[in-house]
Amino acid sequence: MKKYAFVLMGNYDPARDKAEFTHGKSLTRICTVRSFAQAEQTVEALWKEGFGAVEVCGAFGPDRARRLAELTQHQVAIGYVTHDPALDGLFSAFFGD
């Protein structure tokens, strides 16, 4: 089974704010965390469960995504969400930066 996860960081309750979907031979899990330390624990657990790819939200950025890849000994494909810099104003307005 192919296992993919998406990790969101913010003011969430990780025990409650989560979802999981299966389709054929694929499993997708959405996890939430409140901090980068919690994200490290979550990604390590996902790795141990056999997840092959983890996408993290834009709050992580490239440096933290790289640190997560190192945590998994580069055995898990770690990606991070980004956006067109031309939309920075909209993102700042929405997220209150």
Side-chain angles (χ1 to χ4, degrees):
M1 175 170 280
K2 285 191 177 190
K3 297 180 179 181
Y4 163 77
F6 188 81
V7 179
L8 296 162
M9 186 164 52
N11 189 22
Y12 296 103
D13 176 356
R16 185 193 70 207
D17 301 327
K18 59 186 175 181
E20 189 168 286
F21 311 93
T22 56
H23 182 73
K25 294 185 180 186
S26 296
L27 167 70
T28 301
R29 184 178 296 166
I30 300 171
C31 307
T32 60
V33 297
R34 290 180 164 263
S35 67
F36 185 67
Q38 205 172 47
E40 289 176 314
Q41 294 170 351
T42 299
V43 168
E44 187 169 21
L46 291 167
W47 174 36
K48 289 178 180 177
E49 286 184 54
F51 280 73
V54 175
E55 192 82 23
V56 296
C57 73
F60 288 83
D63 293 336
R64 286 179 170 170
R66 274 191 290 278
R67 285 174 39 199
L68 292 172
E70 291 167 3
L71 174 74
T72 67
Q73 300 174 12
H74 298 278
Q75 293 180 10
V76 176
I78 304 287
Y80 66 95
V81 175
T82 188
H83 64 271
D84 183 337
L87 301 175
D88 283 349
L90 291 172
F91 278 91
S92 292
F94 181 78
F95 287 108
D97 291 327

